[in-house]
Amino acid sequence: MSKFKLPKAGTIEMSPSILSADFSDLASEIAQVESAGVNIIHLDIMDGHFVPNITFGPPIVAKLRKHSNAVFDTHLMISDPEKYAKAFADAGSDHITFHIETVDNPEKFIDELHGLGVTCGVTLNPETPVESIEKVAAMCDMVLVMTVHPGFGGQSYIEDAAKKCVRIRELVGPDIRIEVDGGIDRETVANAVGYGADTLVAGNAVFGKPDRAKAINDILMAAQ
Ligand code: DX5
Ligand code: ZN
């Protein structure tokens, strides 16, 4: 059962992605962004199958859990999320997002995730239409809109993908968070927020900068 809960919708939140952090020193990297006021940490899980890159799994999440009081926003970019969801929940993931492209019966999986005591997110790739999540978006606690093709940090923001936030907001109403992921920085963030995003993943624009607190503040200022 998750200990840390997503902040209620209605505020802008950053969710820094540790994909661009120093993997040999993750506890300190996370401490730096938490002391800058961050409530959510984005964990990018890649399997080398759904995406052409590999990151880390539940054992690392369990180790990081001891070093953080932030919500672990766990983005599963893996082909078989149903197989691994419990292991991530047991490791300390508070929120688990799966790709709509990877699940045959998303309604059932969303119920399973809630049964594990975590909140749940559904996400769609830049080329995946909003219709693919129409039936299930409102069952989730957050919808994640990929604004790059998943797999790597440091790619360029795709505005056409961010535009899907407008239709998604109509579908889910004001109480469900809409997260954008990929290419978010001080130049692009206002555009994404303008389309209705309220939860902002940023990897390179936070952990690629020497002063993480300043980087976070710069993005939040630009978001207003
Ligand atoms: C991409 C990941 C993102 C990534 C974002 O596959 O899902 O979370 O870390 O990185 P930036 O902010 O560098 O585009
Ligand atoms: Zn991500």
Side-chain angles (χ1 to χ4, degrees):
M1 182 64 73
S2 131
K3 198 163 145 203
F4 305 101
K5 299 284 172 221
L6 279 177
K8 271 186 70 172
T11 57
I12 298 279
E13 296 281 337
M14 292 269 320
S15 181
S17 163
I18 62 168
L19 187 60
S20 293
D22 178 351
F23 269 54
S24 71
D25 199 11
L26 285 176
S28 145
E29 294 282 58
I30 287 176
Q32 286 181 42
V33 294
E34 280 192 51
S35 62
V38 152
N39 300 311
I40 311 174
I41 303 282
H42 190 81
L43 306 178
D44 283 310
I45 311 300
M46 305 187 188
D47 66 350
H49 187 258
F50 179 65
V51 290
N53 198 2
I54 299 174
T55 56
F56 55 90
I60 303 267
V61 175
K63 291 286 183 194
L64 293 177
R65 187 67 283 173
K66 299 184 176 73
H67 296 277
S68 173
N69 290 319
V71 175
F72 276 179
D73 166 21
T74 310
H75 177 191
L76 299 183
M77 287 166 276
I78 64 178
S79 295
D80 198 353
E82 289 154 297
K83 185 171 170 187
Y84 295 99
K86 183 172 186 312
F88 281 102
D90 289 347
S93 290
D94 304 292
H95 176 84
I96 295 181
T97 292
F98 66 96
H99 274 257
I100 193 69
E101 301 89 355
T102 62
V103 171
D104 289 333
N105 187 341
E107 289 93 337
K108 181 166 164 267
F109 188 38
I110 291 165
D111 285 345
E112 279 169 18
L113 287 168
H114 285 144
L116 290 171
V118 298
T119 51
C120 143
V122 65
T123 185
L124 63 184
N125 276 337
E127 68 278 8
T128 304
V130 175
E131 291 73 60
S132 67
I133 61 161
E134 228 162 37
K135 279 200 200 133
V136 297
M139 293 173 68
C140 297
D141 307 277
M142 188 151 79
V143 175
L144 168 55
V145 175
M146 289 306 302
T147 44
V148 297
H149 296 282
F152 300 93
Q155 303 182 75
S156 299
Y157 175 74
I158 304 171
E159 181 176 356
D160 274 348
K163 285 179 184 163
K164 290 188 281 190
C165 293
V166 175
R167 173 75 189 116
I168 292 168
R169 182 59 75 200
E170 288 170 6
L171 275 177
V172 301
D175 297 334
I176 291 177
R177 288 189 167 276
I178 301 180
E179 183 175 51
V180 279
D181 184 5
I184 299 297
D185 59 23
R186 55 199 282 190
E187 271 78 47
T188 57
V189 68
N191 182 273
V193 170
Y195 289 125
D198 55 17
T199 311
L200 312 166
V201 177
N204 196 46
V206 171
F207 289 106
K209 306 278 186 197
D211 183 342
R212 280 66 192 266
K214 179 178 182 307
I216 288 164
N217 193 48
D218 285 350
I219 295 169
L220 286 173
M221 293 301 282
Q224 290 173 356

